[in-house]
Amino acid sequence: MELLQLKYFLTVARLEHMTRAADELGIAQPPLSQTIARLEEELGVPLFDRLGRNIRLNHFGQAYVQRVERIFEELELGRRDLSDLADGRQGQIGLAMHVATHLLPDLLSAFRKDHPGVHFLLSGHQANSVTSLVQHLARGTCDLCISSPPLQQPGITSVPLLTEDIWLAFPSAHPLARRSQIRLQEVAQEAFINMQPGNGWRELTDSFCQQAGFRPRIVFESDDPSTIRGLIRAEQGIAFAPAISWHGLVDPAIIQMPISEPKCQRTIGLSWLTDRRLSMAALQFRQFVIDYFARLSLA
């Protein structure tokens, strides 16, 4: 049994006229009649009642035509699914993001407005070191990685998304909170709230303190940025704060202040395996991420 036989059968069943069916299919009538006869022979039952030159779909044919129509409906749905996959409207994207994670809901919802058939496999704070991020990419558990700094490893391509200043965050009642800017060395004796050791953010901010000539006195360590902000509000210490990524997350109880010296910045980047072929959905999301962060940096 072949799909061509079934296509011919559906046409004859719809028209109930062999000559008109042959004309519509663009073939001669004898081959069409022979095709229908072979199909009936394979099925072991007649599908049509022959009344002279007229034919009528019988009860076998009526039952069979419903099944055949479903076959072609499924084939059409399959064709549409493949088309959607090819143009990026469907598929799965693995994403590891361990910086500016509060942006993730808005980033994903904005993309899925035009790509509702795409779903994401997310890796978050557990992927907080260069080694673990590289392993995620190598194992194929993620297609794209958003990190700071961008991954610089053989076989990995990275593009910068955003370079942002790193400021200091004070409780609003802090004696220094009225300043417009501050040198980092001026807070050498302050109590700091920071991420745990081994975190990329911790390593970066510790290096800023080293440049300023002191080792920070850490009184609280947490890998949850919201907890850090809560401790600042509770006047338990000060913390480093990304100027753009924390935008909209702080209230008047927290004062963010630029650091005049040394220059404190970080770069957020997007990375992927150079030789791994990305799906159309992942390619479209990659460009969407680049454009999204470009708009963010201009806001």
Side-chain angles (χ1 to χ4, degrees):
M1 189 180 303
E2 300 174 356
L3 285 177
L4 188 61
Q5 286 178 296
L6 300 180
K7 177 183 177 183
Y8 286 178
F9 163 68
L10 286 181
T11 304
V12 176
R14 174 169 50 85
L15 297 175
E16 292 189 325
H17 196 285
M18 198 68 72
T19 301
R20 288 203 298 269
D23 289 341
E24 182 173 308
L25 292 167
I27 62 174
Q29 181 178 330
L32 177 58
S33 299
Q34 293 168 9
T35 298
I36 298 300
R38 285 198 302 271
L39 178 60
E40 291 176 317
E41 184 178 352
E42 290 181 29
L43 294 172
V45 294
L47 300 172
F48 299 91
D49 292 333
R50 274 79 172 175
L51 307 172
R53 294 185 177 182
N54 298 321
I55 61 173
R56 293 289 183 271
L57 201 64
N58 62 25
H59 67 286
F60 292 120
Q62 290 170 357
Y64 192 57
V65 75
Q66 297 179 18
R67 300 291 186 178
V68 175
E69 285 175 343
R70 290 181 189 176
I71 291 173
F72 280 93
E73 287 172 2
E74 287 297 321
L75 289 173
E76 174 59 19
L77 289 173
R79 185 196 65 78
R80 292 180 185 178
D81 286 348
L82 291 177
S83 177
D84 288 345
L85 287 170
D87 64 18
R89 289 200 297 263
Q90 289 188 15
Q92 175 177 288
I93 300 173
L95 174 65
M97 182 171 181
H98 79 113
V99 292
T101 51
H102 74 279
L103 299 174
L104 192 59
D106 181 67
L107 173 66
L108 299 185
S109 63
F111 179 76
R112 294 189 75 249
K113 284 180 180 178
D114 295 325
H115 302 79
V118 174
H119 62 280
F120 287 82
L121 180 63
L122 302 176
S123 303
H125 283 296
Q126 67 272 24
N128 60 6
S129 69
V130 169
T131 300
S132 64
L133 291 172
V134 171
Q135 289 174 347
H136 272 281
L137 288 173
R139 290 196 301 262
T141 52
C142 71
D143 302 298
L144 301 166
C145 168
I146 299 176
S147 65
S148 178
L151 301 181
Q152 302 293 332
Q153 298 282 329
I156 293 178
T157 299
S158 296
V159 295
L161 296 173
L162 174 70
T163 297
E164 64 179 338
D165 290 331
I166 306 301
W167 292 355
L168 285 174
F170 293 86
S172 59
H174 194 283
L176 297 173
R178 296 183 181 275
R179 298 273 297 273
S180 60
Q181 61 180 6
I182 194 166
R183 291 182 296 111
L184 188 55
Q185 197 276 334
E186 295 180 71
V187 295
Q189 302 304 315
E190 294 287 336
F192 275 84
I193 307 163
N194 210 332
M195 296 285 190
Q196 295 180 1
N199 184 284
W201 174 263
R202 172 67 177 270
E203 293 174 357
L204 177 66
T205 54
D206 280 354
S207 72
F208 294 152
C209 295
Q210 185 178 10
Q211 291 178 55
F214 69 95
R215 183 176 180 178
R217 181 168 63 91
I218 309 294
V219 294
F220 289 101
E221 295 177 339
S222 173
D223 282 338
D224 180 11
S226 63
T227 298
I228 292 176
R229 289 189 291 269
L231 289 169
I232 299 171
R233 291 188 191 95
E235 302 183 12
Q236 295 303 299
I238 68 173
F240 289 95
I244 297 176
S245 298
W246 273 24
H247 181 71
L249 295 177
V250 295
D251 52 45
I254 297 177
I255 303 300
Q256 292 180 265
M257 187 181 303
I259 299 171
S260 60
E261 183 185 343
K263 190 176 185 64
C264 298
Q265 290 182 324
R266 74 166 175 179
T267 298
I268 297 173
L270 179 66
S271 306
W272 61 91
L273 286 183
T274 305
D275 294 333
R276 176 170 293 161
R277 183 176 180 271
L278 294 176
S279 67
M280 182 58 68
L283 289 172
Q284 291 184 1
F285 182 66
R286 183 176 71 185
Q287 187 59 49
F288 184 87
V289 170
I290 293 170
D291 296 340
Y292 179 92
F293 275 85
R295 292 191 299 271
L296 189 65
S297 64
L298 297 174

